[in-house]
Amino acid sequence: MDSWSGKTIRPDRRRKHLQGSAEQRPEALMKSQVNESVPQEFILLGFSDRPWLEPPLFVVFLVSYILTIFGNLTIILVSQLDPKLHTPMYFFLSNLSLLDLCYTTSTVPQMLVNTCSGRKGISYGGCVAQLFMFLALGSTECLLLAVMSFDRFVAICRPLRYSVIMHRRLCLQLAAASWLAGFGNSVWLSTLTLQLPLCGRREVDHFFCEVPALLKLSCVDTTANEAELFFVSVLFHLIPLTLILISYAFIAQAVLRIRSAEGRRKAFGTCGSHLIVVSLFYGTAISMYLQPPSPASKDRGKMVSLFYGIIAPMLNPLIYTLRNKEVKEAFKRLVARVLAKK
């Protein structure tokens, strides 16, 4: 007899009744877990525990973003409109500027909204887009900086064969390979990260959606994901950096063999800008992704991410224009041309 309804249930029907309930319960439980595992909105905490920091951070983000847009757009326009800059070096520099524009646009607008308002939320789709674009563009920049060092190596160590080696087709292939490899890496790593169950956790202790911050939300063991992230970091950080250092070792030997002081100064000036950019980007990125995590490094990780995600893209055009005579002269010609039309 059923104790709830007072009806008698035959044994065979009772077994079917219990089996049906047992089959429905795990299915319902699984659906509820899936619903809890994928929150509709994430909360980007940033420095919400220190609200007095938000007004100055808003000013820093806004000024940096404006300078990043203006500086990188200037380099792209100058490189495209001035025939004297239609060389492999400025082709790759235009790619770097375009990359930095997309890099900052994927995160900074949302950060400006979050710091100037009390609302810290970002939709699940927005978080996925941030994660994918930040990974893709960061990986691409690692490879593109290595390609730029190869270009400088050929220009200084093989000057007579430079135009033959660095022909237009090769430049397009190197740039395309950097972009495709970066986006391919992002597809793989983003998919692995987003498959982790979150069990309702939605507070991201960061300014934007990045892999290390999202791994901390998972309610399962993430050792395998951390190992994969470390492997990718070695592949996209240490290997390109090693190739860059080898290239500049040969470049230094070639420059020291130049007899004229003017020639050495010009060669070092051309390579100096790239070396500064490499030091800023790789130094901060390696300290973020290849250093073992620790509770004490939580805020340090946020500041490092802000540096290579916001400050470095702002400084790149300034470094290349302030130290590059050709870019400054091309910019003056562009301004004169615009004023003449008025």
Side-chain angles (χ1 to χ4, degrees):
M1 178 179 291
D2 191 331
S3 60
W4 291 99
S5 60
K7 297 179 181 179
T8 303
I9 300 178
R10 289 168 52 185
D12 56 341
R13 291 185 180 179
R14 180 182 295 274
R15 282 194 296 270
K16 292 180 180 179
H17 175 73
L18 293 175
Q19 287 175 359
S21 301
E23 290 172 357
Q24 290 172 2
R25 279 198 300 270
E27 185 178 349
L29 182 61
M30 185 171 63
K31 288 181 179 179
S32 66
Q33 286 178 345
V34 170
N35 292 335
E36 289 181 358
S37 178
V38 183
Q40 295 182 351
E41 186 182 57
F42 287 99
I43 306 298
L44 298 172
L45 296 178
F47 285 140
S48 56
D49 56 337
R50 301 169 204 173
W52 57 272
L53 272 177
E54 294 192 345
L57 280 176
F58 176 81
V59 174
V60 171
F61 295 162
L62 182 61
V63 172
S64 300
Y65 190 48
I66 292 173
L67 291 176
T68 299
I69 293 175
F70 176 76
N72 286 290
L73 278 178
T74 299
I75 287 182
I76 293 173
L77 289 174
V78 167
S79 300
Q80 294 298 316
L81 298 178
D82 197 306
K84 293 184 178 180
L85 300 185
H86 290 176
T87 62
M89 174 181 173
Y90 294 103
F91 169 75
F92 293 125
L93 182 57
S94 298
N95 272 266
L96 181 65
S97 295
L98 175 62
L99 189 149
D100 284 339
L101 276 175
C102 300
Y103 202 45
T104 52
T105 302
S106 66
T107 56
V108 176
Q110 183 68 48
M111 291 162 61
L112 288 171
V113 172
N114 288 353
T115 51
C116 74
S117 66
R119 186 177 177 276
K120 305 294 182 183
I122 181 173
S123 66
Y124 178 80
C127 187
V128 171
Q130 272 194 356
L131 175 68
F132 177 79
M133 293 303 296
F134 201 77
L135 268 175
L137 297 171
S139 303
T140 303
E141 183 158 356
C142 292
L143 301 178
L144 194 59
L145 289 174
V147 169
M148 293 173 73
S149 71
F150 173 72
D151 172 68
R152 292 299 84 208
F153 164 77
V154 177
I156 294 174
C157 299
R158 303 288 186 272
L160 298 179
R161 300 190 59 203
Y162 179 69
S163 58
V164 177
I165 297 174
M166 299 300 296
H167 52 83
R168 180 173 179 79
R169 183 180 177 183
L170 178 63
C171 293
L172 290 172
Q173 289 173 341
L174 290 173
S178 299
W179 285 89
L180 289 174
F183 275 79
N185 172 59
S186 182
V187 169
W188 177 52
L189 210 54
S190 298
T191 303
L192 292 176
T193 303
L194 294 172
Q195 285 178 343
L196 292 172
L198 305 180
C199 302
R201 299 179 184 177
R202 62 193 191 101
E203 291 188 345
V204 182
D205 194 11
H206 212 301
F207 288 97
F208 48 86
C209 294
E210 197 176 15
V211 175
L214 291 179
L215 289 181
K216 294 177 182 177
L217 294 186
S218 179
C219 54
V220 298
D221 184 21
T222 59
T223 303
N225 294 79
E226 291 170 3
E228 289 159 353
L229 179 61
F230 183 82
F231 170 75
V232 169
S233 299
V234 170
L235 194 64
F236 280 84
H237 291 117
L238 289 187
I239 294 178
L241 180 59
T242 302
L243 296 176
I244 291 172
L245 295 177
I246 292 173
S247 298
Y248 274 102
F250 285 107
I251 289 172
Q253 290 179 355
V255 170
L256 292 175
R257 287 197 296 265
I258 298 176
R259 294 184 179 182
S260 66
E262 180 65 25
R264 287 197 299 269
R265 187 162 49 249
K266 184 178 180 180
F268 277 125
T270 303
C271 299
S273 300
H274 183 250
L275 271 176
I276 294 172
V277 171
V278 166
S279 302
L280 290 175
F281 179 79
Y282 277 99
T284 52
I286 287 175
S287 67
M288 178 68 184
Y289 285 96
L290 293 177
Q291 182 172 331
S294 64
S297 64
K298 182 182 67 171
D299 289 343
R300 182 193 61 81
K302 294 179 188 178
M303 298 306 297
V304 169
S305 296
L306 290 179
F307 189 87
Y308 71 74
I310 299 175
I311 305 301
M314 177 194 70
L315 294 177
N316 288 353
L318 295 176
I319 292 169
Y320 277 107
T321 54
L322 293 177
R323 295 179 56 86
N324 194 308
K325 186 178 179 180
E326 291 179 339
V327 174
K328 287 189 285 186
E329 291 178 351
F331 180 70
K332 291 177 183 178
R333 288 193 295 268
L334 178 62
V335 172
R337 196 186 311 168
V338 172
L339 293 176
K341 290 182 179 180
K342 292 183 180 181

